[in-house]
Amino acid sequence: MTPDPSAAFLSVTVVGGSNMDVSAKAHSAVTAGDSTPGSIQYSPGGVGRNLAENLARLGARVQLLSVVGDDVFGRQVVASTAATGVGVDAMLTIAGQRTATYLSLHQPDGEVAMAVNDMDILESLTPEVCAASPALSDANALLLVDCNLAQPTLAHLLGLKRKVVVDGVSVAKCRRLVGLLAGVYLLKLNHLEASALSGLPVDTPEQCPAAVQHFLDGGVERVIVSHGASGLAWGQLGAEPFFRQSRKVRVVSSTGAGDALLAGAVAALLAGKVMKDAVEYGVACAEITLSSTFANSPDLTDAAVRHHMSKNA
């Protein structure tokens, strides 16, 4: 793959959400108000934490600034994250608060039917806490943030004059980025988030490139807008947006696929790859994750991604 020297960094610092994922998958179509047989499991999650774990699995040097409660879930999240190779020295334990939790219910095909998130503890990750953290002392590290963070914290981090990657997280939370996007190195949104943030209709895959162009015109350097199983659009300053259709893959669970996509793209950019190659690498990471019951596939490695890409070339 052709290198892009302007995109090479030494490491990544992730600032964002850590939580415990409690995931249920129904064996038959979910009926409102009724109990549906299925399977339930729990595992460490959170957009920021997932991104950090995926990056570590792909060989990046990464540290995580996040918060957990002084409870069983919190201790499990920190220990499990450290075991994947993520630096957790900057993670904070907040006494008297519960660790953030994400509860999701999936249809038999793996698609999310509904979800509830309890992320109040992330309000503790204030601009003052971030400013005092040694995790942000490395000016050469790429900074990756998610919109689980409060708007003042996002504003602080995006004002640090660093190369910043941003994940929109959700329709409600991506709106915290209004007025803050100029100069962002890479912005990743799904089509619903892109519509909410741009005001443009992004109902169909064909409308995704226009949304990408909107953010490029606003000063974002690189943009990815995904449209579920249809594919994604991507673009960068000085190049016309392009829509890439998805391959058909077996879906066990869609949870974490978007995180894997962004982590893969960032890992490739860390290695100096051009945007097109970074997107292809990220898509391969997402495809591997779609076939896993976990939001972070234990099978995700650089070697596995390269093998997957060679099989589908």
Side-chain angles (χ1 to χ4, degrees):
M1 290 188 285
T2 306
D4 179 3
S6 68
F9 303 92
L10 297 177
S11 61
V12 189
T13 300
V14 179
V15 187
S18 294
N19 55 258
M20 188 61 74
D21 283 340
V22 181
S23 175
K25 185 177 182 182
H27 291 163
S28 58
V30 175
T31 302
D34 194 17
S35 177
T36 306
S39 58
I40 300 173
Q41 64 181 22
Y42 67 93
S43 59
V47 173
R49 200 216 65 86
N50 286 349
L51 289 165
E53 177 176 337
N54 284 332
L55 282 162
R57 289 186 180 278
L58 294 169
R61 184 158 60 90
V62 56
Q63 58 180 331
L64 175 63
L65 172 55
S66 190
V67 290
V68 296
D70 187 14
D71 52 24
V72 172
F73 274 178
R75 290 187 286 276
Q76 202 164 5
V77 166
V78 174
S80 298
T81 304
T84 67
V86 176
V88 298
D89 290 347
M91 291 188 71
L92 303 174
T93 299
I94 309 297
Q97 294 200 41
R98 59 189 179 274
T99 297
T101 304
Y102 175 76
L103 175 66
S104 61
L105 174 59
H106 298 255
Q107 297 284 10
D109 64 0
E111 290 298 317
V112 177
M114 59 187 68
V116 177
N117 64 77
D118 176 4
M119 304 289 178
D120 289 351
I121 191 173
L122 290 177
E123 296 294 326
S124 304
L125 205 53
T126 63
E128 292 75 21
V129 167
C130 290
S133 175
L136 293 173
S137 62
D138 183 2
N140 292 317
L142 184 67
L143 182 59
L144 198 166
V145 305
D146 75 49
C147 288
N148 282 308
L149 302 172
Q151 198 277 342
T153 304
L154 285 169
H156 169 75
L157 294 170
L158 291 168
L160 291 178
K161 307 303 181 186
R162 298 267 294 273
K163 291 285 189 180
V164 185
V165 176
V166 182
D167 189 300
V169 176
S170 72
V171 168
K173 294 177 180 179
C174 73
R175 292 190 173 99
R176 298 171 182 174
L177 295 169
V178 172
L180 300 176
L181 287 173
V184 163
Y185 176 71
L186 171 61
L187 172 66
K188 185 266 176 185
L189 305 166
N190 66 29
H191 69 288
L192 299 174
E193 296 157 4
S195 180
L197 193 54
S198 68
L200 298 173
V202 196
D203 304 314
T204 67
E206 292 76 16
Q207 293 171 322
C208 289
V212 169
Q213 189 62 56
H214 170 86
F215 295 112
L216 295 175
D217 291 343
V220 180
E221 292 184 37
R222 295 166 175 81
V223 182
I224 298 173
V225 174
S226 62
H227 202 290
S230 298
L232 61 83
W234 64 271
Q236 64 185 75
L237 289 176
E240 194 169 325
F242 176 80
F243 187 83
R244 182 199 183 282
Q245 289 187 327
S246 292
R247 289 184 287 263
K248 288 187 177 181
V249 297
R250 185 174 73 98
V251 177
V252 174
S253 172
S254 60
T255 298
D259 300 336
L261 167 67
L262 179 56
V266 169
L269 290 171
L270 282 172
K273 310 308 180 189
V274 296
M275 186 64 179
K276 179 180 183 298
D277 292 339
V279 169
E280 290 299 321
Y281 190 91
V283 167
C285 292
E287 290 175 345
I288 291 171
T289 303
L290 285 168
S291 66
S292 173
T293 57
F294 300 100
N296 295 94
S297 171
D299 298 324
L300 188 69
T301 64
D302 177 64
V305 175
R306 291 179 181 277
H307 176 69
H308 183 86
M309 293 175 73
S310 67
K311 280 196 316 179
N312 293 283

